[in-house]
Amino acid sequence: MAEEFDADLIEAARKTFAGPVAFLKSAPALQHLPEADVPEVAFAGRSNVGKSSLLNALTNRNGLARTSNTPGRTQELNFFDVGEPLRFRLVDMPGYGFAEAPKDIVKKWRFLVNDFLRGRSTLKRALVLIDSRHGIKPVDREVMDMLDAAAVSYRLVLTKADKIKASELAAVAERTAEEARKRPAAHPEIIATSSEKGLGIAELRAAVLEAVS
Ligand code: GDP
């Protein structure tokens, strides 16, 4: 299930995220992307999966990533610079899977994300967040399909692990990892996290640093 990271990598990652992290820009369309000059790690997940909370926990900053639960207001990629001098970027991808999202919004999301995944030479990895309580949903599989097709390496990350019992977490982690192992571009190990309790955050930092090193 959960992966063991080297202690030196964990410590290097802790130091990296204790240093400067700054919002760079929002890109509502591809022509607004920042120059592809440093490695990037993207975060994807259904809306309400806990993506903003996880980005804030990862970077030790409250309010760095903001949630917008209004469908149609979140169709943009948000870029965050990590390190001074700049070492890499985090990319907060627009949340997906709004039940009530209008068709044109879903279409716009698909084009934006697909074009980004296929065309971004500096994108090293995507982290696909999965709510521990729900496991992988069909809409998550669509995103995994897009990543597999674009050959972008990705890792599945369980969120809100504090919300379920340890036995349930072990079961959902096993099921999720089993599905990951069948995917060509997915990392076979998953990471279980709780932004609320700090669980798995050190490992997630290590996984990000590993991806851009
Ligand atoms: P986003 O839409 O994916 O950015 O999700 P948010 O980060 O805004 O989180 C959605 C809701 O889940 C909020 O009410 C958070 O307080 C809650 N939440 C996020 N992460 C956790 C967690 O690790 N544990 C618990 N118990 N709640 C969480």
Side-chain angles (χ1 to χ4, degrees):
M1 173 189 139
E3 182 168 349
E4 297 269 319
F5 286 94
D6 182 82
D8 290 344
L9 180 64
I10 293 264
E11 177 56 12
R14 185 193 64 76
K15 278 199 185 133
T16 299
F17 283 101
V21 181
F23 172 73
L24 173 64
K25 71 181 297 191
S26 284
L30 290 184
Q31 66 265 33
H32 302 290
L33 294 181
E35 211 176 314
D37 48 5
V38 286
E40 292 172 338
V41 175
F43 290 72
R46 294 169 67 212
S47 36
N48 212 41
V49 71
K51 185 156 52 64
S52 315
S53 305
L54 198 64
L55 278 163
N56 289 334
L58 190 77
T59 57
N60 269 317
R61 282 148 184 97
N62 278 332
L64 183 79
R66 285 177 298 115
T67 326
S68 168
N69 276 325
T70 319
R73 280 207 45 230
T74 49
Q75 303 298 301
E76 53 194 28
L77 300 155
N78 288 299
F79 291 82
F80 300 91
D81 282 346
V82 182
E84 181 60 60
L86 176 61
R87 285 191 67 186
F88 59 89
R89 287 199 178 105
L90 306 177
V91 187
D92 185 6
M93 309 236 286
Y96 53 82
F98 280 108
E100 72 278 27
K103 276 216 169 65
D104 59 326
I105 297 285
V106 175
K107 210 165 153 188
K108 187 174 171 233
W109 181 92
R110 187 174 293 279
F111 278 116
L112 178 66
V113 169
N114 225 351
D115 286 354
F116 179 73
L117 295 179
R118 287 177 177 276
R120 193 70 171 172
S121 58
T122 42
L123 181 61
K124 297 296 174 198
R125 187 152 303 168
L127 299 171
V128 180
L129 314 187
I130 307 287
D131 192 316
S132 296
R133 294 168 302 175
H134 309 309
I136 301 175
K137 294 280 191 189
V139 68
D140 298 314
R141 290 192 185 97
E142 282 177 36
V143 171
M144 291 160 70
D145 289 343
M146 286 163 75
L147 289 161
D148 283 323
V152 172
S153 108
Y154 60 100
R155 192 193 268 276
L156 302 180
V157 175
L158 294 175
T159 61
K160 308 188 191 182
D162 60 286
K163 287 223 175 197
I164 56 175
K165 289 192 219 134
S167 56
E168 290 166 348
L169 180 62
V172 74
E174 184 45 46
R175 273 203 311 280
T176 308
E178 203 177 300
E179 201 163 326
R181 288 194 287 269
K182 292 183 189 138
R183 293 281 180 158
H187 196 286
E189 316 269 0
I190 64 150
I191 300 176
T193 65
S194 163
S195 306
E196 193 101 345
K197 304 278 183 224
L199 174 82
I201 302 300
E203 288 77 10
L204 190 65
R205 287 185 189 130
V208 170
L209 192 61
E210 181 187 61
V212 297
S213 296

